[in-house]
């Protein structure tokens, strides 16, 4: 096994044939190390050995093998794992199987996984379907997220075991998976959740994060308008803020800087905007950020943006300020 461990540790494609030659070793550790090393190199020669371990009696080895199968794409994977999915003895391995199916790249895996949306592993299955970008399930998940008419989820938030908890979990799985799909056409449905005061606050927060994951510049523009709207309550505005830093955009940086400079916007709304500006790392923002650094109304946000994506010149300006401003130093820390 030491040879397999050593070759695997190099992560060198030149060692792939050597690892493949160890797949028939009588030593169990050597076989698993060799198969895992090949999987890490994206070499499908590992698939039969990993499937054998996944189906074996050793639960720890099976889980490790399933993790490695999730690195590979092969039509063998769904064909081999489908019988295990229906086997109650494989219940402890089901999450790993679902993840491996999601990474397999096979439409056949999508058909298998879609059936899991009705079970207890819906969260893992929904994410796996998103990894596959499986179209039929996208529409299914989109239909799952609206709040049922007349049901106030905000009255039950945080109370595990209540009647609505399973519905909350299913809707949460769908909302998070839609973010992984990354399609902007889910934007309107997610915004409805964000602005719905009768929905679960945890779900509204997740909807904001997923909205950021799918956002294009058009959606980000709408988010900024929502944040600056006086017609929207502060709670919904905070959930919208979760979208800003999920999808950094240089095209939106100017508008985000305008938001930071707006004296009518509270600081807790400005800081997520600063994170988004920082992640965009646009040199065109540096001059304005250094000006904002000198203004007590905007220095906190400017400091955060510079830390995350400012130029060396902007960083030096920040360091100079930190030497004389204890409050700003605490903010950056």
């Amino acid at each position: 096994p030491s040879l397999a461990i050593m070759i695997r540790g190099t992560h060198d494609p030149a060692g792939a044939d050597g690892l493949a030659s160890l797949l028939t070793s009588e030593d169990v550790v050597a076989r698993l190390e060799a198969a895992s090393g090949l999987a890490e190199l994206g070499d499908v020669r590992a698939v039969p050995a990993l499937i054998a371990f996944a189906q074996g009696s050793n639960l720890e080895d099976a889980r490790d093998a399933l993790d490695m199968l999730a690195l590979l794409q092969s039509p063998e994977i769904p064909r081999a794992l489908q019988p295990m999915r229906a086997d109650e003895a494989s219940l402890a391995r089901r999450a790993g199987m679902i993840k491996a199916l999601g990474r397999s790249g096979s439409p056949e895996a999508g058909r298998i996984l879609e059936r899991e949306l009705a079970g207890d592993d819906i969260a893992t299955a929904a994410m796996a379907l998103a990894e596959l970008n499986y179209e039929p399930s996208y529409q299914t998940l989109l239909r799952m997220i609206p709040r049922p008419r007349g049901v106030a989820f905000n009255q039950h938030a945080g109370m595990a075991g209540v009647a609505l908890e399973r519905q909350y979990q299913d809707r949460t799985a769908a909302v998070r998976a839609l973010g992984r799909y990354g399609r902007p056409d889910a934007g309107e449905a997610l915004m409805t959740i964000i602005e719905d005061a009768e929905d679960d606050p945890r779900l509204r927060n997740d909807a904001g994060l997923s909205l950021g994951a799918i956002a294009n510049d058009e959606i980000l523009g709408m988010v900024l308008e929502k944040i600056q709207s006086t017609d929207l309550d502060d709670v919904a505005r905070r959930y919208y803020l979760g979208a800003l830093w999920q999808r950094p955009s240089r095209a939106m940086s100017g508008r985000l800087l305008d938001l930071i400079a707006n004296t009518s916007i509270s600081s807790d709304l400005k800081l997520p905007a600063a994170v988004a500006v920082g992640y965009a790392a646009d040199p065109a923002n540096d001059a304005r950020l250094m000006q904002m650094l000198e203004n007590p109304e905007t220095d906190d946000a400017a400091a955060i943006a510079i830390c995350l994506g400012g130029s060396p010149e902007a960083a030096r300006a920040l360091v100079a300020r930190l030497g004389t401003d204890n409050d700003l130093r605490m903010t950056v820390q």
Side-chain angles (χ1 to χ4, degrees):
S2 57
L3 177 60
I5 293 170
M6 181 185 69
I7 299 174
R8 178 186 178 186
T10 67
H11 303 286
D12 186 349
D17 287 342
L19 290 171
S21 70
L22 295 169
L23 291 176
T24 56
S25 170
E26 295 183 2
D27 189 284
V28 174
V29 176
R31 290 202 307 275
L32 183 56
E33 285 289 329
S36 299
L38 285 170
E40 288 166 346
L41 295 173
D43 193 319
V44 295
R45 286 181 288 180
V47 170
L50 290 173
I51 287 173
F53 277 109
Q55 296 171 333
S57 59
N58 187 304
L59 180 59
E60 185 176 349
D61 287 352
R63 286 173 168 167
D64 289 343
L66 288 165
D67 287 343
M68 292 298 105
L69 281 173
L71 302 178
L72 297 166
Q73 292 190 357
S74 167
E76 289 183 64
I77 295 173
R79 286 198 293 268
L81 297 186
Q82 183 172 7
M84 291 177 62
R85 173 187 164 274
D87 181 9
E88 289 299 320
S90 299
L91 188 62
R93 318 174 191 207
R94 187 160 294 174
M97 288 188 285
I98 290 172
K99 290 177 183 177
L101 288 168
R103 298 287 179 85
S104 68
S106 168
E108 182 183 356
R111 291 188 288 274
I112 296 169
L113 288 170
E114 193 164 36
R115 295 194 287 273
E116 296 288 350
L117 293 180
D120 293 335
D121 292 304
I122 180 175
T124 308
M127 280 298 189
L129 287 160
E131 292 280 354
L132 280 172
N133 197 25
Y134 189 63
E135 178 63 33
S137 294
Y138 176 77
Q139 300 300 329
T140 300
L141 294 167
L142 199 56
R143 289 191 295 269
M144 285 173 61
I145 69 171
R147 178 174 63 86
R149 189 184 301 274
V151 181
F153 273 72
N154 64 324
Q155 301 298 316
H156 302 276
M159 293 187 291
V162 298
L164 298 181
E165 190 65 16
R166 178 55 192 260
Q167 292 182 55
Y168 159 74
Q169 291 171 356
D170 290 353
R171 293 177 66 215
T172 297
V175 163
R176 292 177 178 176
L178 289 172
R180 183 67 64 88
Y181 268 98
R183 302 185 188 183
D185 63 349
E188 183 178 351
L190 292 171
M191 288 181 179
T192 298
I193 294 174
I194 292 169
E195 296 183 25
D196 185 355
E198 292 190 61
D199 217 331
D200 191 299
R202 300 167 296 175
L203 187 62
R204 295 172 71 190
N205 181 69
D206 282 337
L209 298 176
S210 287
L211 182 65
I214 68 170
N216 52 22
D217 285 345
E218 180 183 359
I219 289 178
L220 288 176
M222 294 171 64
V223 168
L224 275 174
E225 290 173 5
K226 296 281 189 181
I227 291 170
Q228 297 177 87
S229 170
T230 56
D231 297 331
L232 201 63
D233 64 87
D234 282 348
V235 176
R237 292 161 85 184
R238 279 194 288 272
Y239 293 134
Y240 271 120
L241 284 166
L244 288 180
W245 56 269
Q246 295 287 318
R247 183 61 62 91
S249 168
R250 289 189 172 188
M252 299 301 299
S253 292
R255 295 181 64 182
L256 289 170
L257 289 171
D258 290 341
L259 184 150
I260 293 169
N262 188 337
T263 56
S264 67
I265 299 293
S266 63
S267 60
D268 63 335
L269 297 177
K270 293 180 180 182
L271 289 179
V275 172
V277 171
Y279 283 159
D282 188 350
N285 297 328
D286 285 332
R288 192 171 180 189
L289 284 172
M290 286 189 285
Q291 290 178 347
M292 289 180 164
L293 195 60
E294 301 302 320
N295 184 342
E297 296 287 336
T298 57
D299 59 354
D300 286 4
I304 295 299
I306 290 171
C307 282
L308 293 173
S311 67
E313 181 184 4
R316 285 191 290 270
L318 174 58
V319 170
R321 275 294 312 280
L322 294 177
T324 60
D325 191 325
N326 289 332
D327 290 340
L328 187 61
R329 186 161 62 248
M330 290 298 294
T331 296
V332 172
Q333 288 176 340

